[in-house]
Amino acid sequence: MKRIAALDMLRGYALVCIMLDHMPISVLRNLTLSNFAVFDAAELFVLLSGFLVGMVWIKIEARDGRWAAQKRFLKRALQVWLALIIGSLVLALLSALLFELQLNHTAVWFQYSRWILEHPLGYLATVALMWMQPNLMDVLALYVLLIATAPVTVPFLLRYPWAALALSLLIWYFAEPLNALVPNQRPGPGLLFNPFGWQLLFFVGVAMGAFRDRLMPVLMRRSRLLTCVSAAILIFSLTIVITWKIGPAAKPFAQFLRQFHGPIDKWSLDGLRLISILAASWIVAVPLARPFAWMAATRPGEALAEIGRGGLFSFVTCVLLSIWGDAMAMTAPPGGWGFALRIGIDIWVTVALWAAAAVWMRRETWIAILRARWAGL
């Protein structure tokens, strides 16, 4: 399947944003997606993941049949589940090591560092059962569930798209009470990333990837109207974020806006966050398609695309780097020098994420070299 460079770049950008957003005193986190819209990189990552699932499914099914596509995504669900377990293990061990070195950090809950040392098998078992999802890795638990259901849900979506949309909307509407039924380690009900809410965004992405050749000609007939509506939604979204940043002085205006948008809840994916990410997708895909294609061809764009192509490896690496970067940033002194140092740390972890993804993407080459050298000894 021919890759779309701009999509890979956006996946890489989402991972960089996720990393910086989880570093509480990062300087560059003030430039991430959540500073300009009511949604953040999590929505972007899930939507793009769904889009790629739709594209890949159609390609595999056309070439090798439906069963081949179903086996592919069952295998993928297993890979994501293993990444959740391994990532959670390394996350807890890294946190424990940093505390042992007197490097405090707040990006991840301190209890994981204790449990992995005091009850290692219990820790791994609760993660494997997904009864516990360590923060920063919790989105992978959501992804496991979404991918694991794909062998059933995607064929249904392909055959009955409107019925699938209606069912997905119904589940989304009752997401909170449904999630409350899921047993979990958290004090609150269910999983943090409510799978009954987020499934709607994921399957919208699947439909966009699977039906794009049929959808786009229809949507392009109303492209001007859709662009105007999407731009208005994004301006409204930005206005809400600006009132949050202004604080108490803008509270009366924020309360006025709240009459129109209602409560905004990331964890169950409220309507405004959902509509806003879809509006942004239209703006990027249509009026800004050429600028984004140009950006994807630049050196920074290619670096971000490489991070995006790293997939699960890049995600786990970005989480671990966010913990390390948070610990390093907390050692920075106050004042101008500390500010400059935190910027340097932000840049370092971003470059390190790209370097790790680049090495991972070239693993077949360097593994072959190592094997040849080992055989020659």
Side-chain angles (χ1 to χ4, degrees):
M1 184 184 73
K2 185 178 179 181
R3 301 197 70 98
I4 302 174
L7 287 183
D8 288 331
M9 179 187 70
L10 286 170
R11 271 168 64 89
Y13 171 69
L15 288 169
V16 171
C17 288
I18 288 170
M19 179 177 66
L20 296 175
D21 282 339
H22 288 137
M23 295 167 55
I25 57 173
S26 161
V27 176
L28 295 184
R29 72 177 296 189
N30 294 308
L31 301 177
T32 60
L33 191 57
S34 58
N35 292 278
F36 307 103
V38 295
F39 60 90
D40 61 24
E43 281 92 344
L44 178 58
F45 185 78
V46 171
L47 180 65
L48 289 175
S49 296
F51 186 87
L52 290 172
V53 167
M55 288 179 60
V56 172
W57 185 288
I58 290 296
K59 181 73 173 181
I60 295 174
E61 185 173 312
R63 185 186 62 207
D64 303 317
R66 175 160 295 177
W67 175 233
Q70 290 172 318
K71 287 193 294 183
R72 167 71 175 266
F73 284 98
L74 284 173
K75 181 180 178 182
R76 185 59 173 171
L78 177 61
Q79 291 171 341
V80 179
W81 180 68
L82 290 173
L84 171 64
I85 297 170
I86 295 169
S88 298
L89 170 64
V90 180
L91 173 150
L93 290 173
L94 174 61
S95 180
L97 175 62
L98 290 172
F99 281 127
E100 183 66 24
L101 296 172
Q102 304 298 312
L103 292 170
N104 291 329
H105 50 282
T106 58
V108 67
W109 193 32
F110 71 93
Q111 284 286 9
Y112 303 136
S113 65
R114 294 182 178 178
W115 289 340
I116 193 60
L117 298 178
E118 297 171 0
H119 309 287
L121 293 180
Y123 175 84
L124 289 176
T126 53
V127 171
L129 292 171
M130 295 198 297
W131 187 71
M132 177 177 71
Q133 309 92 43
N135 67 295
L136 308 189
M137 289 290 175
D138 42 18
V139 71
L140 287 185
L142 166 69
Y143 201 37
V144 169
L145 296 173
L146 295 175
I147 296 296
T149 63
V152 175
T153 53
V154 174
F156 178 73
L157 184 152
L158 295 177
R159 186 167 184 179
Y160 305 107
W162 292 112
L165 175 61
L167 181 59
S168 184
L169 281 167
L170 183 65
I171 293 171
W172 172 77
Y173 184 80
F174 291 103
E176 292 188 45
L178 287 172
N179 193 39
L181 301 175
V182 179
N184 199 261
Q185 168 262 345
R186 295 177 56 249
L191 278 66
L192 184 61
F193 278 91
N194 186 336
F196 301 100
W198 283 77
Q199 55 79 28
L200 177 57
L201 179 62
F202 177 78
F203 288 116
V204 166
V206 173
M208 290 166 63
F211 298 125
R212 61 195 179 108
D213 292 337
R214 282 184 275 172
L215 273 175
M216 288 309 293
V218 175
L219 295 176
M220 288 302 292
R221 296 173 196 161
R222 300 286 185 271
S223 62
R224 190 169 297 178
L225 174 62
L226 288 171
T227 299
C228 291
V229 171
S230 296
I233 291 170
L234 292 181
I235 291 170
F236 182 65
S237 172
L238 176 60
T239 303
I240 294 169
V241 173
I242 291 172
T243 62
W244 292 345
K245 288 186 172 294
I246 292 173
K251 189 174 181 179
F253 187 57
Q255 290 176 333
F256 170 74
L257 293 177
R258 187 182 172 87
Q259 298 178 52
F260 298 96
H261 63 70
I264 297 176
D265 175 24
K266 173 178 179 176
W267 309 118
S268 289
L269 189 63
D270 68 272
L272 181 60
R273 292 178 73 105
L274 174 66
I275 293 171
S276 296
I277 183 64
L278 295 179
S281 301
W282 175 264
I283 294 294
V284 169
V286 180
L288 296 182
R290 287 186 179 179
F292 271 82
W294 174 82
M295 284 189 286
T298 64
R299 288 294 179 85
E302 289 174 350
L304 287 173
E306 196 144 37
I307 293 171
R309 288 193 295 272
L312 285 175
F313 178 84
S314 292
F315 179 85
V316 172
T317 302
C318 92
V319 167
L320 298 176
L321 284 171
S322 69
I323 299 169
W324 186 90
D326 177 39
M328 294 299 102
M330 292 185 72
T331 66
W337 167 242
F339 181 82
L341 182 58
R342 293 201 306 275
I343 292 178
I345 291 167
D346 291 347
I347 294 172
W348 192 95
V349 294
T350 302
V351 172
L353 177 58
W354 165 75
V359 170
W360 175 253
M361 293 301 295
R362 292 163 178 78
R363 62 191 180 280
E364 292 183 2
T365 301
W366 56 261
I367 288 174
I369 293 172
L370 290 175
R371 284 176 176 171
R373 289 182 178 178
W374 179 261
L377 292 177

